[in-house]
Amino acid sequence: MRRLFGSVRARATLGATLVVAVALVAAGAAVLLSLRSNLMGEAGTQAERSARAVASELAAGTPYDKLSGLDGDIGPVQVLDEDGRLVAVSEDLERISGTDSDRVRAQPAARPAGDDEDDAETTGEALEPGEISGESVFRNGSATVDGDTEDYRYAAVEVETHDRGTLTVYAGAPLAAEHGAVRTALTVMLIGFPLLLGVVAGVTWLVTRRALRPVEGIRREMAAITRSEDLARRVPEPDTHDEIARLASTTNETLAALETSVERQRRFVADASHELRSPIASLRTQLEVAAAHPELLDLDGAVEDTVRLQRLAADLLLLARLDAGERPNDTRVDLAGLAREEAEGRAGVTVAAEPVEVAGSRGQLGRVLANLLDNAQRHARSGVTVSVRREGDRAVVGVADDGDGVPEADRERIFERFVRLDAARSRDDGGAGLGLAIARDVAVRHGGTLTAGQGPAGGALFELRLPLV
């Protein structure tokens, strides 16, 4: 069963068919009940009309054998006296049920003197001689007239006569039309509903298959991309402008982002390997020379290469954590105090800061300021200026130098990993090209920005903008 309804198409077809089936059953039941109620009401109205016609004749003093309603044309009629005795009955009536008397032959009898008991059903009204009750009592029953047995709707009406006391007239209207109409409607529903459900199921199956056809195309293409590992491929986008088209578009955007990420990761690994190879090779050369000729050991150079290798490994580890989605904490950080701490001990660095607080990682923000100061000192001619101020709901940290500045065309490229401009190609002076990349990644993860521009002295100006606490 699970495999049978394991597809979206099968479940959608089943669900639609069940919903329509429930709606049809409810609507069919309502129609049948309404039809039966209306036809029953019409039969009751007809029976009441016949009963009141006979009652009118009785009120006018018409003898029982002269009543026009007893000819059997309008249905079975019975007249009962106050004692419940049958005093008049329609012609050809052989059997009856559903009234207060199942007798089919009139048995008139005088009312015993002093007997006030009333066995016939009454409406509770006090009637004057010649008056007909305004209320009617309805019942269902059956009768056999001239050999034909049918169901009837009976109406009982009371009439007060001048010389015969209170009489009750029962008149019946046949329910054959009601039964026939209900049976016909039920038959039509029993035949039509399954056919309609079959049509609904078929249409739902076809429409769902057509709607899901692009999804199957997307699935096949994704499976092919997974097998081939070719992230340059894209899934087909249907020209339907619906949810499936948006799904295909989002899938292609995801594939493009994944391709860019994988390509970036490959370049990162290649560049990291290249950057690590140089200090490791230099350190190995120095150690091999020292092993062969201890007197030629360049201890300062070996320490410098080791420190440079350690810094590069720390930068790579931080980038790996940032790429893994490491989020900063919500610790309050005083940027002015942090700027003064990072500038302390650096030659030619001046700080002009007002107290501002942001939320984030003190260690990571300190790393951003340190990287910006290292970069500024590397390119400055005489000095570096650090400023901390408020601008609206943002804290702005500016690091400016008086060097040659950054060409406008390179002001975005310098934030890419392992990118060094021509003036900083030397690994000894220019570093590995990771400092600014790390600074921007940390800024973005703190909800801020890091941009490069031109400073007041003509050199480079780096502005870090972070949301205030």
Side-chain angles (χ1 to χ4, degrees):
M1 183 63 69
R2 183 175 297 177
R3 291 189 61 184
L4 179 62
F5 297 104
S7 67
V8 174
R9 183 168 53 186
R11 291 196 295 270
T13 301
L14 176 63
T17 304
L18 289 177
V19 170
V20 174
V22 172
L24 288 177
V25 170
V31 168
L32 289 177
L33 291 175
S34 177
L35 177 62
R36 184 177 183 276
S37 177
N38 290 337
L39 293 176
M40 193 74 72
E42 291 181 5
T45 301
Q46 181 181 350
E48 183 181 17
R49 189 181 303 116
S50 300
R52 290 190 178 277
V54 175
S56 297
E57 295 181 4
L58 292 172
T62 304
Y64 296 135
D65 57 353
K66 301 296 183 180
L67 294 174
S68 61
L70 301 182
D71 55 8
D73 293 338
I74 62 174
V77 176
Q78 284 183 319
V79 180
L80 277 65
D81 64 7
E82 293 179 348
D83 296 323
R85 294 184 176 88
L86 186 64
V87 295
V89 64
S90 59
E91 298 177 0
D92 299 326
L93 181 61
E94 301 174 4
R95 188 175 61 84
I96 190 170
S97 65
T99 65
D100 284 338
S101 175
D102 59 358
R103 293 185 294 273
V104 295
R105 292 292 181 268
Q107 297 178 354
R111 178 180 177 84
D115 187 358
D116 295 330
E117 182 180 0
D118 185 7
D119 295 328
E121 181 176 351
T122 64
T123 60
E125 294 184 54
L127 302 177
E128 298 295 332
E131 185 180 0
I132 302 173
S133 173
E135 298 181 2
S136 301
V137 178
F138 295 95
R139 294 180 179 178
N140 289 339
S142 63
T144 302
V145 180
D146 198 16
D148 295 329
T149 302
E150 293 185 17
D151 292 331
Y152 286 87
R153 178 73 166 172
Y154 293 108
V157 177
E158 289 186 351
V159 56
E160 184 71 27
T161 62
H162 293 279
D163 56 350
R164 289 171 286 187
T166 302
L167 302 177
T168 303
V169 180
Y170 286 92
L175 294 177
E178 181 264 341
H179 293 331
V182 172
R183 281 195 298 267
T184 300
L186 182 59
T187 301
V188 171
M189 291 178 183
L190 292 177
I191 296 175
F193 282 6
L195 294 178
L196 183 57
L197 290 177
V199 172
V200 170
V203 171
T204 304
W205 180 269
L206 294 177
V207 171
T208 308
R209 182 178 66 177
R210 182 178 180 84
L212 293 179
R213 188 176 299 161
V215 177
E216 179 61 21
I218 294 173
R219 187 201 64 79
R220 285 197 300 267
E221 185 63 24
M222 287 296 294
I225 292 173
T226 302
R227 288 193 300 269
S228 64
E229 298 182 359
D230 183 9
L231 295 178
R233 298 175 62 172
R234 297 292 180 265
V235 301
E237 295 187 23
D239 190 21
T240 53
H241 306 288
D242 56 8
E243 291 83 354
I244 297 178
R246 292 195 292 272
L247 171 64
S249 176
T250 303
T251 302
N252 285 333
E253 292 175 1
T254 303
L255 288 173
L258 183 60
E259 181 185 14
T260 302
S261 177
V262 170
E263 184 61 29
R264 181 182 180 185
Q265 192 69 23
R266 289 173 180 170
R267 290 200 306 269
F268 176 74
V269 172
D271 292 340
S273 300
H274 180 73
E275 294 294 335
L276 287 171
R277 183 173 57 186
S278 297
I280 291 176
S282 175
L283 184 60
R284 178 180 177 180
T285 299
Q286 295 181 53
L287 294 176
E288 289 178 348
V289 170
H293 304 283
E295 69 280 2
L296 299 179
L297 174 63
D298 184 5
L299 186 58
D300 293 338
V303 171
E304 184 178 349
D305 285 340
T306 302
V307 171
R308 182 163 152 238
L309 185 62
Q310 183 181 15
R311 289 177 178 174
L312 181 57
D315 288 343
L316 294 176
L317 180 60
L318 177 56
L319 284 174
R321 292 204 310 267
L322 294 176
D323 288 342
E326 180 180 296
R327 307 300 300 178
N329 52 38
D330 294 331
T331 304
R332 287 176 175 263
V333 179
D334 179 12
L335 284 182
L338 187 61
R340 293 189 183 94
E341 289 180 12
E342 294 297 332
E344 186 177 356
R346 294 176 182 264
V349 178
T350 58
V351 179
E354 60 178 278
V356 291
E357 286 188 340
V358 297
S361 170
R362 182 180 179 84
Q364 291 186 8
L365 293 177
R367 183 66 175 274
V368 172
L369 291 175
N371 288 354
L372 293 178
L373 288 171
D374 289 343
N375 180 76
Q377 285 187 306
R378 189 178 298 119
H379 298 88
R381 291 191 178 95
S382 60
V384 176
T385 302
V386 179
S387 62
V388 181
R389 66 185 187 277
R390 295 172 179 262
E391 282 190 6
D393 60 347
R394 295 272 168 166
V396 181
V397 179
V399 178
D401 61 66
D402 57 355
D404 296 331
V406 181
E408 187 174 354
D410 296 325
R411 289 176 183 174
E412 280 298 316
R413 194 168 69 87
I414 58 175
F415 292 107
E416 297 178 7
R417 298 175 183 183
F418 298 105
V419 170
R420 290 185 293 265
L421 300 184
D422 294 338
R425 282 297 180 185
S426 170
R427 288 189 176 87
D428 294 334
D429 297 331
L434 293 177
L436 294 179
I438 292 174
R440 170 165 278 190
D441 282 354
V442 172
V444 170
R445 280 164 174 75
H446 280 74
T449 60
L450 178 61
T451 58
Q454 185 174 2
L461 170 63
F462 289 88
E463 285 189 334
L464 172 66
R465 297 176 181 270
L466 297 172
L468 293 171
V469 173

